[in-house]
Amino acid sequence: MKNNIQKIRRERWKLVPEAVPTVRRNCSKCKEKREFINSIKFRVNANGKNVDVWLIYRCEKCSTTWNMSIFERSPVSAIPEEVYAGFQANDRLLAESYGRRMDLFVKNRAEAVTPEGGFRIEAEAESETGAEEGFRRIELEVPFPMVLRLDSLLADRLGVSRSMVKRWCGQGVVVKLDREENVWKSEEKLCREKVRNGLVIGIRPVLSVPETGTMPQVCPPGLTPVKLKA
């Protein structure tokens, strides 16, 4: 007897930064937004029993500095001795470690950016009973902000062009989960959406992948919007 149980593929893509994030902010000298790069140097200002510690960033264009606060008026005794020594010695690993902490960027109201291409993807997948044969449900885990569009990510991951991803978004091959309505929505502008933590996309199977000409034939047709199991 033929097994009619359909399967969907649930995947989680974790985008793990490999490059040390930069900070995008207005540069007082350049008079425009620039990338500020982690200089791997700390500024330590001890005043009696208290200490202030900053991580120094430099404008990529003119080297203007910006200091990201790590400790403010903190008791020296509250900082482990080896960490305090690392601040004073401008320890590289320590500077890179603090330069990856999202809580510090939030505290300093800094726009942290992972350079394009400066990450790897750790993917996990499993299959389960679903509403559409061959459907891929992909949830993105992005622990750090990235200047990365969805079409760029999918094109690289799926081995197709960005223009193909754009057509897929318009046709409904690539859809986005609206969590509030529990509905998969199709829109061409989805391809321009920035990659972010918690974004859930769906990819329907296609019978062919032409780079030019007509849209690929989709299985099954009739795609906007369609209620599916989330």
Side-chain angles (χ1 to χ4, degrees), residues 22-23 25-39 56-67:
T22 61
V23 172
R25 57 178 287 108
N26 287 319
C27 176
S28 59
K29 187 174 181 178
C30 296
K31 306 300 181 183
E32 61 180 310
K33 274 199 169 185
R34 295 288 191 185
E35 301 289 324
F36 280 67
I37 300 170
N38 187 334
S39 70
I56 302 172
Y57 285 76
R58 293 187 181 277
C59 173
E60 63 177 349
K61 184 73 173 180
C62 69
S63 295
T64 293
T65 61
W66 172 75
N67 298 333

Side-chain angles (χ1 to χ4, degrees), residues 31-153:
K31 306 300 181 183
E32 61 180 310
K33 274 199 169 185
R34 295 288 191 185
E35 301 289 324
F36 280 67
I37 300 170
N38 187 334
S39 70
I40 315 297
K41 293 183 183 298
F42 297 96
R43 178 185 171 192
V44 180
N45 182 22
N47 183 8
K49 295 183 179 180
N50 295 327
V51 65
D52 295 305
V53 181
W54 299 270
L55 180 59
I56 302 172
Y57 285 76
R58 293 187 181 277
C59 173
E60 63 177 349
K61 184 73 173 180
C62 69
S63 295
T64 293
T65 61
W66 172 75
N67 298 333
M68 183 168 75
S69 175
I70 298 177
F71 290 103
E72 297 178 9
R73 302 289 194 274
S74 297
V76 176
S77 59
I79 304 175
E81 289 185 11
E82 64 275 14
V83 175
Y84 190 69
F87 291 149
Q88 294 179 312
N90 293 319
D91 183 85
R92 171 173 287 275
L93 293 180
L94 191 64
E96 291 182 350
S97 174
Y98 277 98
R100 296 177 189 272
R101 283 183 47 176
M102 191 61 211
D103 61 316
L104 290 179
F105 291 105
V106 172
K107 170 187 171 183
N108 287 270
R109 298 181 180 179
E111 182 185 352
V113 177
T114 298
E116 188 169 354
F119 66 92
R120 69 179 187 276
I121 297 177
E122 295 179 355
E124 299 178 356
E126 61 182 16
S127 296
E128 65 174 33
T129 302
E132 188 172 336
E133 186 76 34
F135 185 81
R136 298 174 66 180
R137 180 193 189 278
I138 302 168
E139 181 170 354
L140 301 183
E141 184 177 342
V142 188
F144 229 92
M146 295 186 175
V147 179
L148 180 65
R149 288 183 13 165
L150 185 61
D151 57 353
S152 181
L153 173 66

Side-chain angles (χ1 to χ4, degrees), residues 193-213:
E193 193 158 325
K194 295 291 177 59
V195 167
R196 67 179 188 281
N197 190 51
L199 178 64
V200 179
I201 60 172
I203 304 178
R204 291 184 164 97
V206 294
L207 300 182
S208 59
V209 188
E211 285 291 336
T212 59

Side-chain angles (χ1 to χ4, degrees), residues 173-197:
V173 176
V174 177
V175 289
K176 178 178 73 171
L177 176 64
D178 184 318
R179 291 182 181 273
E180 292 185 3
E181 300 180 15
N182 198 35
V183 170
W184 293 101
K185 292 188 174 180
S186 169
E187 50 188 20
E188 185 176 294
K189 67 179 182 181
L190 174 60
C191 70
R192 301 191 298 273
E193 193 158 325
K194 295 291 177 59
V195 167
R196 67 179 188 281
N197 190 51

